[in-house]
Amino acid sequence: MENKIELFERYIDNKLDTDEKLKFDLRLKTDRQFASDFRVYLLTVREIMLEAKREDEEFGNAMMNLPEGEFMRVIQSTRRRHPEPEHGLRFSAFRMSGFRCETSRNISDGRRSRIRERWAWISSIAAILVIGIFSLFSVRQSGMDKVDDMIVEANFVPDFSRGAEVREHGIQWEDSPDLKPSDEQIKHFEREYYAVTATDIQAQEDAGMRLAMVYLKVHDREKAKALLSELSKRFADDKEFAAQCRKILEQLD
Amino acid sequence: MDETYEEIVRKWYLRLRGDFTDILMSKYHDTEMRLADAENIYQDIFLAIHRNLKEGRVSEDCDWRNYILRIGLNMASKRYRQIIRNSSIDEIVDDENTERLERLQRVTDLLSQIPADGDDAAFLQDPETEAILREELEHCSEISAAIIRGKYYEGLSDAEIAESIPEYRDNGKPVEVNAKAIKARRWLCMKDLVYRVKLSLYNDGIITEKPERRKRNGK
């Protein structure tokens, strides 16, 4: 086929000698495949020419009909900046104000200006990144805190047997859900948990859950999860309680 | 959606700028010409075209790529006094336009002279054929399109085409742009194009004979 292309080209360009042309014409009549290939070739060449002509006409028409203002806008909007040359002012014979590419400037001023501009961009981007990360972190933290508060509200069981003690430590969950226990109050609940009689399973479970909820109330998830995990293993025989611990752990993950 | 005049002009301006400045810079690489200077010349050419069209000095269906390059080389030669070009660009353009139309007519005449039968009659009359041709043309690479356009539309010799195309890369390797490379590339492109056109015609049921599988390097 490659030789055919060269042959077709020479035929179109009238570069075949008499003998070659006769053979070509004869082959067109006798060799169907050859004739078909030549026909497709001619169609392709014609389409190439017509397509190029269409493009040229389209451009010529557009240039002819484009108003001056819009034309200048195209020229100006497609200008490119170029790095300054190493030396001197370059003279351009085709000067036209407002549109020329800059061909020279004071080197040090230009460089300082570019460095300043670059640092300004870097600083802006860094500031945006920091603000963005901080905002994301704040939003995430806020969401987690709300989850903690909801878990506490659903799972904290006040120790009504020690009503006076609860009031004494200033923790009134029902009335002031936004109150946060102080360190002293947290220590009180810790002491309570460790002081419960070993044989009193129910009391231990309640104290453990209260302590875990206190940890969550101050958003100390690490301690809350560690305690809940311990409770779910220690009191595995109490399937309901263990399931409650595991459910809370799932909500915290 | 049809493009606006501004979009068409912008598209052409951006499309040709790279190759134009590459060619100018390679021809004037040993002068003081800088990229900014080449781009200023390019800009001036478009301003000149806009003016010449309004004044009727050039027709709308001019071969614009060739015209832009010629004017550019002319402007550069006046500035850098190296290559002397013919100053009457418009006369040359008119002559080339006539030759182009004659070539197109010859191809059309040849098509009508070859008797059509069977499959050929089918695809000559099928309106889908032109759409298939245009689509396959669009699949040609830019370099191939420039080469076949240079040959068949602009009527340039392989050497002239080589001068109008900047160096390019084929599969990452730099290709020396000379007449021999252009000819080889053109044959390969046309062979591939004709095969793809026939295959598309076959796949669309316009012709019944499946084209031969392409062979490369004798395999």
Side-chain angles (χ1 to χ4, degrees):
Chain A
M1 188 64 174
E2 183 171 329
N3 290 336
K4 277 187 195 173
I5 298 292
E6 185 188 5
L7 190 59
F8 294 161
E9 280 184 6
R10 288 174 62 214
Y11 184 84
I12 292 175
D13 294 340
N14 278 321
K15 287 183 179 170
L16 295 179
D17 60 36
T18 311
D19 193 42
E20 284 173 323
K21 191 173 179 308
L22 280 170
K23 281 183 184 168
F24 190 99
D25 288 336
L26 182 64
R27 200 173 166 189
L28 276 181
K29 290 173 188 167
T30 56
D31 187 341
R32 206 168 147 229
Q33 183 65 48
F34 183 81
S36 176
D37 288 343
F38 186 49
R39 189 168 290 106
V40 173
Y41 174 82
L42 286 173
L43 276 172
T44 307
V45 169
R46 189 180 70 172
E47 188 56 37
I48 290 167
M49 298 174 77
L50 288 174
E51 182 64 21
K53 191 169 183 294
R54 275 191 288 267
E55 284 183 0
D56 280 336
E57 283 170 352
E58 184 187 64
F59 173 69
N61 185 47
M63 282 287 274
M64 171 81 94
N65 291 291
L66 191 65
E68 186 84 15
E70 289 174 36
F71 174 69
M72 292 304 183
R73 192 163 63 202
V74 171
I75 299 291
Q76 200 170 17
S77 68
T78 49
R79 274 184 67 204
R80 289 195 292 202
R81 292 187 64 83
H82 292 280
E84 282 80 16
E86 289 179 0
H87 51 272
L89 184 70
R90 301 235 176 263
F91 173 72
S92 170
F94 311 104
R95 199 166 287 281
M96 190 167 172
S97 64
F99 295 105
R100 307 321 281 172
C101 300
E102 293 173 6
T103 53
S104 72
R105 220 166 51 182
N106 181 282
I107 298 299
S108 55
D109 281 351
R111 194 172 290 162
R112 274 202 289 272
S113 170
R114 279 205 311 281
I115 291 171
R116 272 201 298 272
E117 198 180 313
R118 196 171 296 159
W119 275 112
W121 269 107
I122 292 170
S123 305
S124 302
I125 290 167
I128 289 167
L129 276 172
V130 166
I131 290 168
I133 290 168
F134 182 74
S135 301
L136 274 171
F137 180 77
S138 297
V139 165
R140 185 168 176 268
Q141 191 60 48
S142 173
M144 284 166 63
D145 290 352
K146 280 190 179 145
V147 168
D148 294 347
D149 291 341
M150 281 165 56
I151 292 172
V152 169
E153 201 174 318
N155 293 282
F156 182 79
V157 180
D159 184 6
F160 293 104
S161 66
R162 297 188 179 193
E165 197 170 345
V166 168
R167 281 194 297 276
E168 181 185 335
H169 288 280
I171 299 174
Q172 298 165 358
W173 303 105
E174 296 86 348
D175 297 334
S176 304
D178 291 331
L179 268 182
K180 298 279 185 270
S182 64
D183 288 342
E184 194 190 329
Q185 287 161 349
I186 293 171
K187 280 179 184 165
H188 161 78
F189 282 96
E190 286 174 343
R191 281 197 298 271
E192 182 196 50
Y193 171 62
Y194 291 114
V196 174
T197 312
T199 53
D200 190 346
I201 302 298
Q202 186 63 51
Q204 283 183 58
E205 287 177 355
D206 289 347
M209 184 56 72
R210 263 199 300 277
L211 179 57
M213 292 305 107
V214 167
Y215 285 147
L216 270 188
K217 191 67 183 173
V218 297
H219 306 303
D220 191 341
R221 281 191 167 201
E222 201 178 315
K223 280 188 178 171
K225 282 160 81 171
L227 178 57
L228 286 164
S229 179
E230 182 196 323
L231 289 170
S232 69
K233 289 171 192 166
R234 200 167 142 200
F235 302 107
D237 289 340
D238 184 347
K239 289 188 175 22
E240 193 179 324
F241 180 76
Q244 183 189 7
C245 292
R246 282 195 296 272
K247 190 178 171 189
I248 295 171
L249 281 167
E250 279 169 23
Q251 287 168 341
L252 292 174
D253 280 336
Chain B
M1 192 178 187
D2 289 343
E3 291 173 303
T4 63
Y5 293 140
E6 189 174 333
E7 284 166 349
I8 293 168
V9 171
R10 187 189 305 277
K11 181 177 72 179
W12 273 71
Y13 192 91
L14 292 173
R15 187 199 297 169
L16 300 181
R17 182 169 61 185
D19 284 354
F20 175 86
T21 51
D22 285 349
I23 289 168
L24 223 61
M25 295 293 287
S26 72
K27 284 190 183 303
Y28 291 93
H29 66 275
D30 54 353
T31 66
E32 291 178 338
M33 180 186 280
R34 296 287 179 266
L35 181 59
D37 298 321
E39 290 199 1
N40 286 339
I41 291 174
Y42 184 73
Q43 178 184 295
D44 286 332
I45 291 168
F46 268 72
L47 293 166
I49 289 173
H50 197 245
R51 189 176 54 244
N52 290 347
L53 275 167
K54 300 280 186 195
E55 292 172 3
R57 294 180 60 191
V58 66
S59 66
E60 290 172 34
D61 65 346
C62 171
D63 174 5
W64 292 112
R65 282 176 180 78
N66 208 11
Y67 185 82
I68 286 165
L69 187 58
R70 282 176 185 277
I71 287 192
L73 290 170
N74 215 29
M75 281 183 175
S77 75
K78 283 180 188 172
R79 165 73 178 90
Y80 296 98
R81 300 187 188 284
Q82 277 218 338
I83 300 167
I84 307 297
R85 308 288 295 197
N86 192 320
S87 58
S88 59
I89 299 289
D90 295 336
E91 285 176 15
I92 293 175
V93 164
D94 284 341
D95 290 342
E96 286 175 346
N97 208 29
T98 307
E99 286 170 15
R100 201 161 47 248
L101 290 172
E102 286 173 356
R103 262 197 309 280
L104 180 57
Q105 190 58 51
R106 171 148 171 81
V107 170
T108 307
D109 291 345
L110 282 171
L111 264 170
S112 61
Q113 285 164 17
I114 305 171
D117 58 349
D119 270 354
D120 290 347
F123 75 70
L124 278 177
Q125 288 153 19
D126 196 316
E128 278 295 305
T129 301
E130 188 178 326
I132 286 169
L133 281 166
R134 290 176 81 165
E135 194 181 327
E136 292 304 330
L137 269 178
E138 281 173 21
H139 291 154
C140 287
S141 68
E142 282 213 27
I143 294 293
S144 298
I147 291 171
I148 59 179
R149 182 198 158 100
K151 165 68 181 172
Y152 299 112
Y153 181 62
E154 298 170 23
L156 301 176
S157 67
D158 292 331
E160 286 170 328
I161 296 171
E163 283 207 345
S164 69
I165 291 180
E167 280 187 2
Y168 63 93
R169 287 184 171 267
D170 192 7
N171 289 329
K173 293 178 188 170
V175 176
E176 190 184 339
V177 185
N178 55 37
K180 197 174 169 187
I182 294 295
K183 183 186 279 190
R185 181 94 190 203
R186 186 178 73 251
W187 285 346
L188 199 62
C189 174
M190 285 305 290
K191 179 182 164 187
D192 184 65
L193 189 55
V194 169
Y195 169 79
R196 281 192 281 113
V197 167
K198 287 190 85 172
L199 187 62
S200 292
L201 290 171
Y202 171 77
N203 288 337
D204 279 10
I206 297 172
I207 61 173
T208 54
E209 198 172 335
K210 192 173 181 181
E212 290 173 16
R213 185 181 287 275
R214 289 172 295 172
K215 289 186 178 63
R216 283 179 183 265
N217 300 325
K219 292 178 187 174

